Amino acid sequence: MRPSDRRKSTPASAGRASRPEAAQAEAFPHRRDRLARVIRAKKLDALVVSDRSNVRYLTGFRGEDSWLLITPKKSLILSDARFTDQIAEECPGLEAEIRLPGSGRTLLSMSAQIIQSLRVRNVGFEKRALSYADAQSLIEASSTTTWTPTEDLVEGLRVFKDKHEIRSMREAVSVAERAFTVLRASLRAEDREKDLADRLEGTMRSLGGECSAFPSICAVGPRAALPHAIPGSTRVGEHPILLVDWGARWGSYNSDLTRVLVTGPSSSKIEKVYQTVLSAQKKAIEAIRPGARAGDVDRIARRTIEEAGFGRYFGHSLGHGLGLKVHEAPGLREGSDVLLEPGMIVTVEPGIYLKDWGGVRIEDDVLVTKAGHEVLTSVPKEFDEVIVGIS
């Protein structure tokens, strides 16, 4: 008998429901059933899911180095002994194949062996998640199997957020917004960009967030012209523009917001740039509804900025999908023919970036609803609301 342990996962502590994921336990089998129908429609006998976020979406498992093998009739998580108890707690009822210490088996060899034992012939793998070397190893280890590269089979399901995901994202938004309120109230002229980023991320954790959704951006003055500025030693009091791009993670789901604060004497230029970006964002959000073309929404914001004379200073897409990953489908970008549908959540974040002067970006998270849209974020953004006094 080979040194492994196949079992049905059972909860490690009965009745424990403190994890955000516990509330959505019934969603995972439903998601796997939906994927099984996709697999059948693609004429595949099985799919090896190796993308960590996709495994998380389908099982609730938050660890790493684990794959999910799914057929139209069977689901099996493949992992090692480090995660035996974690799988039992997070994936109740899901069959698991556990590599035991000293077995000499790798995730690749175990996967190939199980696939051969199931006598499945046409097996899909996620070509974006599996390296060329690993794909070659799987092919060589299972000569009777036809391996078919696939893309977006799980991601196509993840585009549409269910009620559990939306609830988690509302919590992620709430944590981020409360942390920003604390940061704004504590701003001082001597604060460095990195001080602010560190304080913001620590506050999000203290308010119940798992962590920040991504490394927070706090950029002062000319550094705000860098869309992905890395917080440094520039102090808030050195320039009246402070750009903050931040988000929280809660229940494995992310929020993503950007605000600009005017921390010193304003000017007509600051107000013009700011009002242009705000107008572009509002018009784009208003256009979000079922059936709207993603590229058209981007075009609405881009045209507004172009008409104000800043077109060449808006150099990125309008927004992106948001969920288990900070950047996922659908993208709000020029030329996209994707039609928006209820359940999608996207960011709307136009910006103007002027070298050696500064930048303005305003970002909110928006849910597409049957009736139109709902803006999930609510941090004040009118120009008179972003003017703050610091000492």
Side-chain angles (χ1 to χ4, degrees):
M1 183 173 66
R2 69 187 182 209
S4 65
D5 183 11
R6 185 176 297 185
R7 63 184 68 180
K8 285 281 187 178
S9 300
T10 54
S13 55
R16 177 164 18 182
S18 59
R19 289 191 302 112
E21 290 84 351
Q24 58 176 310
E26 75 278 5
F28 301 119
H30 175 65
R31 293 173 188 172
R32 294 195 294 271
D33 288 343
R34 291 172 61 205
L35 179 59
R37 291 194 289 272
V38 172
I39 292 171
R40 188 180 295 110
K42 294 291 184 181
K43 301 189 184 307
L44 295 172
D45 298 320
L47 176 68
V48 175
V49 180
S50 55
D51 179 273
R52 181 176 174 181
S53 293
N54 287 344
V55 173
R56 161 69 186 85
Y57 174 77
L58 295 165
T59 68
F61 178 62
R62 295 182 295 169
E64 63 274 355
D65 298 329
S66 302
W67 292 355
L68 179 69
L69 175 63
I70 186 164
T71 77
K73 296 183 178 179
K74 182 182 185 68
S75 297
L76 177 66
I77 191 167
L78 314 175
S79 191
D80 62 62
R82 292 173 299 165
F83 300 112
T84 301
D85 292 340
Q86 184 176 343
I87 289 173
E89 178 180 347
E90 296 179 344
C91 314
L94 181 62
E95 188 175 356
E97 177 83 6
I98 303 296
R99 304 192 314 281
L100 299 180
S103 69
R105 303 170 79 202
T106 65
L107 186 57
L108 285 164
S109 65
M110 183 171 71
S111 301
Q113 290 170 356
I114 293 172
I115 286 166
Q116 288 190 312
S117 71
L118 293 175
R119 301 184 183 279
V120 289
R121 299 302 183 199
N122 189 11
V123 181
F125 67 92
E126 298 179 302
K127 69 178 186 180
R128 291 177 181 166
L130 204 61
S131 70
Y132 179 82
D134 285 347
Q136 286 296 109
S137 295
L138 273 179
I139 292 169
E140 292 169 3
S142 47
S143 57
T144 61
T145 302
T146 298
W147 289 92
T148 301
T150 68
E151 60 181 329
D152 296 338
L153 298 191
V154 183
E155 289 84 351
L157 303 178
R158 282 173 44 195
V159 165
F160 305 101
K161 273 58 182 181
D162 60 32
K163 63 181 181 180
H164 307 289
E165 295 175 287
I166 294 171
R167 185 181 303 125
S168 290
M169 294 183 71
R170 290 187 192 278
E171 292 291 344
V173 166
S174 175
V175 169
E177 292 190 329
R178 285 182 285 145
F180 184 77
T181 299
V182 172
L183 181 78
R184 175 172 170 153
S186 66
L187 277 178
R188 298 169 301 177
E190 65 266 28
D191 284 330
R192 299 174 304 163
E193 295 168 337
K194 188 176 184 304
D195 296 332
L196 299 181
D198 292 345
R199 192 185 312 161
L200 185 57
E201 294 182 7
T203 304
M204 286 190 284
R205 286 181 179 273
S206 71
L207 290 172
E210 294 174 22
C211 56
S212 59
F214 50 88
S216 300
I217 298 171
C218 294
V220 173
R223 289 180 44 75
L226 303 173
H228 285 180
I230 297 173
S233 59
T234 305
R235 298 184 185 276
V236 172
E238 295 180 30
H239 194 282
I241 292 176
L242 170 62
L243 183 149
V244 183
D245 186 344
W246 82 106
R249 181 172 300 158
W250 194 93
S252 298
Y253 285 81
N254 299 291
S255 57
D256 186 3
L257 303 87
T258 306
R259 289 293 186 269
V260 166
L261 298 177
V262 179
T263 60
S266 185
S267 67
S268 59
K269 185 173 183 178
I270 291 175
E271 184 169 5
K272 180 181 179 181
V273 172
Y274 190 94
Q275 296 287 23
T276 299
V277 173
L278 182 60
S279 176
Q281 197 217 27
K282 287 181 174 180
K283 290 177 181 178
I285 290 174
E286 187 60 30
I288 292 177
R289 61 179 62 88
R293 200 176 302 274
D296 292 343
V297 178
D298 177 284
R299 186 70 235 152
I300 288 169
R302 202 165 299 278
R303 184 183 302 116
T304 301
I305 291 174
E306 289 171 349
E307 290 173 350
F310 297 107
R312 66 192 182 100
Y313 304 109
F314 177 22
H316 55 74
S317 63
L318 177 65
H320 53 83
L322 186 65
L324 285 169
K325 292 183 178 179
V326 176
H327 290 85
E328 55 184 54
L332 299 182
R333 58 178 179 269
E334 283 189 286
S336 174
D337 290 326
V338 172
L339 299 180
L340 300 182
E341 299 182 55
M344 293 178 172
I345 295 180
V346 296
T347 67
V348 181
E349 48 180 307
I352 294 175
Y353 310 93
L354 304 176
K355 186 178 180 181
D356 299 326
W357 179 81
V360 171
R361 180 169 66 254
I362 304 172
E363 177 181 19
D364 286 295
D365 304 339
V366 182
L367 168 67
V368 184
T369 66
K370 292 180 180 179
H373 65 266
E374 177 190 350
V375 182
L376 301 178
T377 39
S378 60
V379 177
K381 59 184 178 182
E382 296 299 326
F383 186 70
D384 61 348
E385 295 175 315
V386 302
I387 298 174
V388 298
I390 59 171
S391 57

